[in-house]
Amino acid sequence: MDGPHMHSQVELNLVLEGSMRYRFDLDEVTVRAGQLVLFWGMVPHQVVAHAENTRFVCLYAPISVVLGLKELGAMREALFAGALVEAAFVRPRDPEIFLGWREELLGGGEALAGIVRDELSARIRRLARDGWRDLRIVQVEAATRRAGPRTRLPAVEAMTRFIAEHALDDISVEDVARVAGLHPHYATALFKRGVGMGIAQAILRHRLDTASSLLASTDLAIGTVAFESGFGSLSRFYEAFGRRFGCKPAAFRKKFGTAGT
């Protein structure tokens, strides 16, 4: 990976063999064989090193899965606050199940992908019930003997969470700044220092991630995809999509789609 990146899904990584070292926002954390971790992709992250012959499964759950599961409680709040959540228990069949989910998401069609999303949602709920810890806090505290993790400013956390929950609505930079009680110019500067991109860019990134997911997993008309992803203009959608992905939406669907269209 060339540099830290961000996306609006929840990312799950199950390391099967070896180990991976992440640069995770301000810290570096190692995830080893047998560990299952998940985090919110809006936290800048990057794999900076890995042991030879490392194998892992990486899956993505729409942010709506976490937003819709109020019963996740403290784990849900921790994810939005930038935690690297580690499952207390990895079940013996998890490697087999995760590999199966990956294959089904890659080529099983939309009906099967919907089932996988439901099963993945249930696994996240079970993870919250079985127990978890913030691996980022554990490793950083052990390495630096600090009393707590380095975190972004509360205002930045409030703004990133608002974007995750409302990016598909008709929101503006001013709306996001208002959540933190800040002037839009100052809010944008503060957000960029904490996240690495501007507020408007983060909103657009979330909408394009949603659009690409819909294109790959449904047979919705492209115009419908655009509007359901928060774009008020079809021409604006085509322009932004081409700039981000380097192709037109129809070509993206042809290459990555699983809905049989």
Side-chain angles (χ1 to χ4, degrees):
M1 191 179 293
D2 295 331
H5 75 294
M6 299 164 61
H7 53 79
S8 47
Q9 295 96 340
V10 173
E11 183 171 333
L12 297 91
N13 284 187
L14 175 60
V15 181
L16 305 175
E17 298 176 20
S19 64
M20 300 169 19
R21 187 158 187 82
Y22 273 105
R23 179 169 295 128
F24 195 77
D25 201 358
L26 301 174
D27 305 308
E28 290 196 3
V29 181
T30 299
V31 184
R32 296 179 172 83
Q35 290 181 296
L36 169 62
V37 297
L38 65 155
F39 58 89
W40 185 29
M42 283 297 286
V43 179
H45 57 282
Q46 175 187 10
V47 176
V48 293
H50 60 82
E52 189 176 358
N53 299 322
T54 294
R55 295 176 60 238
F56 68 98
V57 184
C58 179
L59 299 174
Y60 298 92
I63 190 63
S64 57
V65 168
V66 173
L67 292 173
L69 296 176
K70 306 292 185 182
E71 68 270 28
L72 295 184
M75 193 182 88
R76 182 175 181 267
E77 298 303 315
L79 284 169
F80 283 121
L84 180 61
V85 170
E86 179 197 2
F89 302 103
V90 174
R91 295 166 181 270
R93 291 192 62 238
D94 272 340
E96 175 188 349
I97 291 170
F98 272 64
L99 285 168
W101 282 339
R102 179 181 181 276
E103 292 304 314
E104 290 173 343
L105 287 171
L106 286 174
E110 172 57 16
L112 188 54
I115 294 172
V116 171
R117 285 193 290 269
D118 290 342
E119 291 172 344
L120 191 55
S121 173
R123 183 64 183 88
I124 292 172
R125 291 167 60 197
R126 185 175 290 278
L127 190 158
R129 179 183 180 277
D130 288 348
W132 56 277
R133 64 177 182 168
D134 186 346
L135 189 61
R136 182 177 170 192
I137 291 178
V138 171
Q139 291 194 12
V140 171
E141 284 186 344
T144 65
R145 299 183 182 280
R146 289 188 285 114
R150 289 176 289 175
T151 59
R152 289 175 286 171
L153 294 174
V156 176
E157 299 294 352
M159 290 189 285
T160 54
R161 179 167 182 171
F162 181 81
I163 290 170
E165 295 177 337
H166 299 283
L168 306 189
D169 301 328
D170 184 17
I171 62 170
S172 64
V173 171
E174 289 74 17
D175 295 325
V176 177
R178 192 176 301 117
V179 170
L182 300 174
H183 186 280
H185 292 300
Y186 178 67
T188 296
L190 189 68
F191 189 91
K192 190 167 186 177
R193 285 202 300 271
V195 175
M197 66 175 69
I199 292 173
Q201 187 181 358
I203 295 171
L204 181 61
R205 174 71 63 90
H206 190 106
R207 290 172 176 172
L208 288 170
D209 283 345
T210 300
S212 64
S213 177
L214 289 173
L215 286 168
S217 62
T218 76
D219 58 1
L220 291 172
I222 290 175
T224 303
V225 168
F227 292 118
E228 291 201 1
S229 301
F231 289 90
S233 162
L234 194 56
S235 61
R236 169 65 174 144
F237 170 64
Y238 273 98
E239 177 188 356
F241 194 93
R243 189 164 56 245
R244 169 79 183 280
F245 296 105
C247 64
K248 293 182 179 180
F252 182 94
R253 168 173 275 166
K254 184 176 181 179
K255 183 175 182 180
F256 298 105
T258 62
T261 59

